[in-house]
Amino acid sequence: MVHLLMWIHSAHLAFTADQWSAFGSILGGLGSILAVIGAASLLTVEVHGRRVEARRYAQERREFAAEQRERETRQRDSDASLARLVIAETGDFTSAVEGGEDEADLHISVQNHSNSFVFDVVVRIPGTPIRRLIHFIKPGGSEDAEFRSLPYDYHIMHISCGGPYTPNQLRVTLEFTDPSGRRWRRVGWDYPLRLPDELANPDLYRYVPPFKVPHHPYDETLERLGLQMIEGAE
């Protein structure tokens, strides 16, 4: 210890004040450099951590969105399970001459293959503004909608041959309300489309005239919601 103190004392005496000042400046500069390096290292670690956290958050969001879409798909399929069991099939098509013009009548059979009632069924066919209203169809039941005074060649224009099991295909549009109060639209054999809840109001269907009426509540609601009756029927 005595030797160390003597060395420090002798070294202190060996350096001038300017040298000690320069040495202090060097040490200060090294300290500043080390501080900058330390701060940069901390910043790099923080930036990397934030990037990892951002990637993890983005991945969680993607997984959540995928799960949400899957839940919505399952819920939509569950909701539409009854609606898929309501179908329309073309029945008798008879031609007649009335008033010197050839006309035809078409019968549409609306079938409810579910185990629940469906209500306020509106039936439309392409190429004509005529529509029919069926107030309800029993579980496993069917009801006919008759369309009279159609052009005699209607079946040529709108009914096509679909093969041995579907000889007469017609894209009939059905709108109906299920027991849970959901309103659906189905065109032909397409997947049922959920309609806005406003259209499930039973007051709209106490009486639906066979043609579009500007001031009828049902037609006004369709127009306000921007929904067409059926393609080619306006």
Side-chain angles (χ1 to χ4, degrees):
M1 178 64 70
V2 174
H3 291 291
L4 178 62
L5 293 174
M6 291 179 63
W7 181 84
I8 294 174
H9 180 71
S10 61
H12 177 73
L13 295 176
F15 290 103
T16 64
D18 290 340
Q19 289 174 328
W20 278 111
S21 176
F23 184 68
S25 298
I26 292 172
L27 291 179
L30 289 175
S32 298
I33 292 173
L34 292 175
V36 171
I37 293 174
S41 299
L42 291 175
L43 179 61
T44 300
V45 171
E46 182 178 357
V47 169
H48 177 71
R50 289 183 177 180
R51 287 177 177 173
V52 171
E53 181 68 18
R55 287 195 294 267
R56 184 181 66 82
Y57 177 75
Q59 179 64 25
E60 290 178 352
R61 293 284 294 180
R62 287 193 293 269
E63 292 175 356
F64 177 79
E67 292 175 359
Q68 183 68 19
R69 288 193 297 271
E70 185 177 352
R71 284 194 297 269
E72 291 175 353
T73 299
R74 288 198 301 266
Q75 184 63 46
R76 186 171 62 251
D77 289 342
S78 176
D79 292 344
S81 60
L82 184 151
R84 291 198 299 268
L85 297 176
V86 180
I87 64 173
E89 292 186 349
T90 55
D92 295 335
F93 184 83
T94 56
S95 299
V97 178
E98 295 184 6
E101 296 183 0
D102 290 336
E103 294 182 343
D105 298 335
L106 175 64
H107 292 262
I108 301 295
S109 175
V110 183
Q111 303 173 11
N112 176 17
H113 293 282
S114 76
N115 58 1
S116 301
F117 278 82
V118 292
F119 306 94
D120 302 323
V121 184
V122 177
V123 187
R124 301 190 188 93
I125 58 176
T128 174
I130 302 173
R131 62 194 178 195
R132 293 288 181 258
L133 173 65
I134 302 171
H135 286 291
F136 66 88
I137 304 177
K138 296 178 180 180
S142 64
E143 297 288 340
D144 285 344
E146 185 178 16
F147 293 83
R148 294 180 174 274
S149 301
L150 298 174
Y152 75 96
D153 59 350
Y154 182 87
H155 64 294
I156 298 175
M157 300 298 296
H158 298 284
I159 299 178
S160 62
C161 182
Y165 299 105
T166 55
N168 296 313
Q169 287 186 329
L170 178 67
R171 287 178 65 79
V172 179
T173 296
L174 300 176
E175 288 181 11
F176 53 91
T177 304
D178 68 17
S180 298
R182 292 181 290 256
R183 189 72 180 171
W184 299 93
R185 172 180 287 183
R186 190 175 195 185
V187 181
W189 293 89
D190 294 350
Y191 194 88
L193 172 68
R194 175 82 180 271
L195 295 178
D197 290 339
E198 286 182 68
L199 283 167
N201 182 359
D203 292 338
L204 298 176
Y205 306 98
R206 292 180 179 177
Y207 171 70
V208 173
F211 292 92
K212 182 178 179 180
V213 177
H215 301 295
H216 190 276
Y218 172 68
D219 294 303
E220 288 181 343
T221 304
L222 281 179
E223 185 174 355
R224 186 174 70 255
L225 296 174
L227 294 171
Q228 292 184 347
M229 288 175 51
I230 182 175
E231 183 180 355
E234 298 287 357

